[in-house]
Structure formats: C-alpha cells, structure tokens
Amino acid sequence: MSGRPEVLFPLFADLTSLPGVGERLQKIFAQMGVEKPRDLLFTLPHSGIDRARRATIQGLDTPGVVTVEVEVLEHRRPRRKGGAHVVTVRDAGATFRLVFFHARPDYLERLLPLGARRVVSGRLEFFDGAPQIVHPDHVLDPAEADDLPLFEPVYPLTQGLSQKVMRKAVRAALARAPDLDEWIDESLRAREGWPRWRVALEEAHNPLTAAELAPEWPARQRLAFDEFYAHQLALALARAHLRRGKGVALVGDGRLRRKVLDSLPFPLTGAQRRAIAEIEKDMAAPRRMNRLLQGDVGAGKTLVAFMALLIAVEAGRQGVLMAPTEVLARQHYAGLGPLAAAAGVRLEILTGRDKGAERRAKLDALRTGEVDILVGTHAVFQDDVTFKALGLAVIDEQHRFGVAQRMRLSGKGPAVDVLVMTATPIPRSLALAHYGDMDVSVLDEKPPGRTPVATALVPTTRMDDVIERLRHAIAEGRQAYWVCPLVEESEAVDLASAEERYKALSAALGDGVVGLVHGQMPPAEKDAAMARFAAGETRVLVATTVIEVGVDVPNASIMVVERAEIFGLAQLHQLRGRVGRGAQKSTCLLMYKPPLSETARRRLTILRETDDGFRIAEEDLAMRGAGDLIGTVQSGLPRFRIGNIEHQTALMALAQNAARKLLHDDPGLQSPAGQAARVLLWLMEEDKSIRLIAVG
Ligand code: ADP
Ligand code: MG
C-alpha cells in the first residue's frame, strides 16, 4: 500500500465537498484546525444541553434550559423599532413569555400562530419577577418535535460558526465515515467494552446524557485509544526499524571501567549499577540499542554514560557524547578528563568553535581512531565528521528532540547504539508518548550525602534583604547563582535584565565579586566567566537560564531566581539542582513580583514541599498541560484531539503494549489486524511511519 487507502478518500476530501459547506465556512473551520471531513469527526462535543421534555416550567431551577409544550396565547408587537416582541404562552402549569428582538413580527406570528401548540426550548430566566425565555433555541410543531434530540451536543466553535452549522457539518461528515476494518484486538475490545470505530463516532457525537461526554465513556475511550495507538504504532515502527538495523554486539571486558571505578572516591549507587547493567546487556546484543537514561538532577547520569562509552572503547569502538550547549560540552569535557585519564583513553572535544587547522587535526584523529571518546555539541554530527568506528552515541539533556532527529543521528555510523540522557523527570504518560520508541533506564536513587536545599518564596519588594543576606554569605566563603529571566530584547520590558542586575549587584557587593553570563555573549567570554566562577574568583554569577542544565560548581550553595513565577516548575527544579551539590547547607530563593496569583503560589509551593523531580513534573503537567511542559513546538509530541495525555496514562500504556505486540507478531503489518492498522496510520496522519514497516 503506497498511498492513502481509497476507503479514506471521502474523509480527506476538501471540506467544501460536504453539503452546506462553502468557501466562506471552509475558512472559518480552518481557524479551528478543521480542514477536512476527518477533522470534523475528531472534533467532539465538549458538553451538552438536556432537552428532555417537561410538562411545565414550574419548579425549575432558574436560569436553566427547559423544553415544554405550550399554547400560544398572545402576541405583543414591539411599540418602537428595536423593541421587544413578546409572545405569551402557557404550558401545563404556568404562563410565561417568549421575547424576541429584531425579528419580523409577521415571521413570528407564522412561527407561533395564536392558539397553536408548540414545543419551545431555551433558557428560562426571571425578569422583573416574571419567567421568560429570550430567543428560544427551538420552536417546533409538536408533530416534528421528535427531531429534537433529548440531549443536544455542544461543540467547540470559533468566531462566525454556530452550533447549528457545526452540527450539520458533523452530521455530513459522519455520513461519509466508512465502516473500517477493526484494528483493535478483539479480545481487548471485548474486555474494555468498546464499540467499533464507526459506532463509537456515532455515539460520541450523539451523547444521550452528560455521562456520555466523559472521557471514560466507552465510545470516547475507544477513539482516544485509536489516537494513542496510531502514535504508539509510529513509535514502535521507528523502534523496530532501529532494532532491525544490523547492530553490532559490543562486548567490553571491563578493564577500562574497572580502572575508573577504582579511581572514584565513592561507590556507584544501586540505580547506577542497574542502569549500567541494562546498557551493557543492550550493547552486547547484536541489535541497535535505543535507550533512554532518565534521572533527576544530580542522580549521576554522566558517570553512567561514561561507563557506557567505555564499554564501546573496550569493544574496540569509539563513543561520542553530545551536549545541547557549548557550556555543557566544555563542562563534560573538563569533568570527564580525570576519568578518561584514569582509564587511559583519549578524550577530545569538538564544538562549533573549532576552526581551521585545529579542527582538521581533531577530525583526522577521529578518523584514524586515535580519539576514543568525543565530547561536543551538535557540531559532532556535521557531515565531514567521520569516525573510524563509532559504536555508541550518547545524547545529553535533549528532551527537545523528536523521534525523527533521534533516527537521523543514529545514522552517523553503521549500527550505532544510542543512549539518550534526560534530566527532566518526565511523567510516565509523557515518557510513553515521547519516548515510546525507546527502552528506558531510570536512576531513581541519588548518591548519598546530599543535603536538601532549603527553598523560600520571597517577594521582589524584599530585594534589599536578599542582597544583604548575600553579602553575609559571601563573607562566609559561599558562592551564589543569580538567575534572571532574560528574553528577547523586545520582550524584556518588565523583566529584570541580567545586565542591569549585574551592575546593581556589583555596586552593592563590590567590583570583581560578581560575574555575568548570558546567551548573547561571545562564547569565549562566556567560558571565561564560567571558569572564573568555578575557580571561586567571582562569588556571585548572574546568569540567564544558560546555566539551567548540568552546570556543576560544588561550592555554589545559593540559588536566587528572579521572577520565579514565570518559570516552569521543572525548570526551577533544574535550577535548584545546581546547588546542594557540596557538603554545605544550600538555599534556593524564589523571588516573585507581587501580587502572586493563587495558581502561581500553589505551583511555587510544590517546590518548597518536595525535592522529588518526578512529583514536581507530575504536578507541573497536571497544572500546565503537556505542551507547555516540553514546549509544544519543540517537543515532537503530537497534538491529540480526543485523547488526553495528562489524564489517560493507562490508556497510553495499553496502546504501547498493543502496538509493540502487533509489530512483534506481524512486523510487516500483513495480517488483517496489520492491514487495518495501516489504515489507522493513514487515518491519524501518522502515515510517514508507514515507510518504516518491515519489508519482506
Ligand atoms: P546528573 O547528570 O544526573 O545531573 P551528574 O552526573 O552531574 O548528575 O552527577 C552529579 C554529581 O554527583 C557529580 O559531581 C558526580 O561526580 C557525583 N556522583 C555521581 N555518582 C555518584 C555516586 N555514586 N556517589 C557519589 N557521588 C556521585
Ligand atoms: Mg548532568
């Protein structure tokens, strides 16, 4: 199957192919991301109006929607233009008024003839002590009142679109929906009580009660599962594709690792040993490793990664460690230097700053295999960087990469094993959605001896106190980070600029005491400033969030974050993780600009209550949503229309198992279930991954 299956054509046609949808409506729908009939199917009502018929309005909670049969008693035309046209009606127990503005009287008199019976439905309210409905939603002849659904779906809309038009368009799209072959395993479907796809759509768009709008309702749950399943199939296909790539068994003899472990003043944590064992097993297997190493700040991921790199070297290969920024690449290089020396392997660094002869020399050394382990930035994946025999690629702190980038990167050498490290503790649901193609090792245990960081919320109005405390701390030999949220110049209006803060702190604490790093600085200056701080020459480092990830200065024991309320929780947790690395008692001051909203206070309070990155990430996710957490654009996360990644973790896990099972049983997607799954991938616009299906 090379193109979209014909059975789906009607759903991928122009929206204007639907009766009643012209170019004007097409534009309006486009504003809400609805571009084809398929999109209408997956735009579900978010609520509903109960139109169950009552005998009388008496006893109704007002204001509230009511549907009653009435007799028309009287018309009172507006006395002046633009006035109200009032129709008095009587139901089985009460008399009330229907009120219309800007309507033609003769039209209303035909709609509601004197003495006739009508079913009216609308919002009843009291005005001047009398019950009335202004502009009823429905006025029907009792003979046709059966057409009125007892429970009317309410859709998300956009400017220029009415419920009526939306409903009509959805009905037309539903009429186009074919009865597709089932892609869900029958036993799973039976166990969950899920309807077939076509039926699920009908039910989801025609709820009979409010309960049927809930995500747990079988029809809705099935449709959410479909979305997750398609996504997980795409990830599983990527995973299978990588694993099929004829991997090389990298078996180390442990001699280099032993030297490093002997040189360390501490033993590995249990979690580190577990992770290394998992990695070692993966690398030794004759297929590609594609593993995620997840662990909170300070859990000791770097050491684990280095052990993995040494396995590659022990096996006669090279390894590369890629960091997201220059600063981090240099820090890794510096930090790993002693370990590399202990092992007796050659470590080299390559970044965008390497130019000319020096760069050529490094590339030569890589090509000839003199360099065992390369540390660097994105520069290590440039086209002219060739390894003699690359065995393992480690990518540090790069939760911002999507599946596609990960796949491209592993193409740098034949059968390169890939290890991705992330310090952002990702809630399970997100990890499943984002890294479903990978196997996961978790460092869920921190090295002993860390003192928890005392965290406090401080309003900016107490700036002077904070600076005073800082002065004392410096006098005691402590060091501090001071983080300012610097954004683009144009947006910097009310944000403390790092440069201004730098000047102010220098004035308060003395010249030469304060350093500055920010993103716009020339790289060499940035390195120099970092180095001066690391060496203890400067005592306070004013920085933008460039220090967010990984930076390690054990003597720094104070972290001040300005405008903490505009940072993400996970980001603040990362920042706080920069201190509390040494033996000293550490402090984190989260400064906010009052007044602090209730939500913002709740968010920041979580940081005071816990140091558990996973819990923080879960809370952050619950409060902000998946997109915000990773940054929707960069996340590579799909937007789910029906499924809710925050609240349907179990469903996502189910989808992952189902997807992996299908690919295990039927790698070429040839069976009936496999064929149906192909159609699902097209339906869910995950068709890019179809080319990854195993052939032959
Ligand atoms: P992460 O990258 O997970 O944030 P790092 O790898 O930077 O953590 O480790 C943080 C610090 O902990 C480093 O200084 C490292 O040398 C130290 N460390 C790593 N493993 C251990 C261990 N098992 N026991 C004590 N300290 C450790
Ligand atoms: Mg790190």
Side-chain angles (χ1 to χ4, degrees), residues 10 28 45 130 153 166 253 287 341 356 386 405 439 459 528 577 638 682:
I28 291 174
M166 179 71 187
D253 55 11
R287 51 173 165 71
T386 45
Q405 283 116 317
D439 301 299
W682 282 102

Side-chain angles (χ1 to χ4, degrees), residues 266-269 272 296-303 447-448 450 552 581:
F266 49 75
L268 295 175
T269 65
Q272 281 172 321
D296 207 348
V297 196
K301 293 181 294 297
T302 316
L303 187 55
R450 299 276 164 85
D552 202 359
R581 308 202 136 209

Side-chain angles (χ1 to χ4, degrees), residues 296-302 328 331-332 396-397 421 423 549-552 578 581:
D296 207 348
V297 196
K301 293 181 294 297
T302 316
L328 282 176
Q331 185 180 292
H332 274 315
D396 185 15
E397 318 269 15
M421 298 197 280
V549 276
V551 172
D552 202 359
R578 298 303 112 216
R581 308 202 136 209

Side-chain angles (χ1 to χ4, degrees), residues 49 51 65 120-123 133-139 152 164:
I49 300 171
R51 302 265 184 214
V65 172
V120 299
S121 183
R123 205 174 119 95
I133 296 176
V134 179
H135 291 173
D137 304 327
H138 300 277
V139 176
E152 199 174 29
K164 209 165 147 188

Side-chain angles (χ1 to χ4, degrees), residues 456-493:
L457 304 186
V458 186
T460 42
T461 44
R462 286 185 42 207
M463 181 67 76
D464 291 346
D465 294 348
V466 171
I467 294 176
E468 201 43 44
R469 272 177 73 179
L470 206 53
R471 186 199 314 283
H472 285 293
I474 292 169
E476 289 166 9
R478 298 171 69 183
Q479 284 181 280
Y481 294 102
W482 187 297
V483 176
C484 306
L486 184 78
V487 286
E488 296 301 300
E489 226 89 303
S490 53
E491 299 172 5
V493 193

Side-chain angles (χ1 to χ4, degrees), residues 409-479:
L409 176 156
S410 62
K412 198 71 201 177
V416 173
D417 283 334
V418 175
L419 179 68
V420 172
M421 298 197 280
T422 176
T424 309
I426 302 171
R428 184 170 147 72
S429 57
L430 275 190
L432 280 170
H434 196 59
Y435 295 112
D437 60 327
M438 311 189 96
D439 301 299
V440 180
S441 294
V442 181
L443 292 185
D444 51 6
E445 175 190 352
K446 288 193 191 177
R450 299 276 164 85
T451 40
V453 180
T455 302
L457 304 186
V458 186
T460 42
T461 44
R462 286 185 42 207
M463 181 67 76
D464 291 346
D465 294 348
V466 171
I467 294 176
E468 201 43 44
R469 272 177 73 179
L470 206 53
R471 186 199 314 283
H472 285 293
I474 292 169
E476 289 166 9
R478 298 171 69 183
Q479 284 181 280

Side-chain angles (χ1 to χ4, degrees), residues 505-557:
L505 287 177
S506 295
L509 302 172
D511 269 350
V513 174
V514 186
L516 171 68
V517 282
H518 62 72
Q520 271 94 342
M521 251 165 132
E525 267 180 50
K526 203 156 53 180
D527 289 351
M530 292 292 305
R532 277 196 301 276
F533 184 65
E537 289 168 34
T538 49
R539 315 301 300 174
V540 177
L541 187 66
V542 175
T544 57
T545 48
V546 290
I547 62 153
E548 177 184 342
V549 276
V551 172
D552 202 359
V553 178
N555 192 47
S557 60

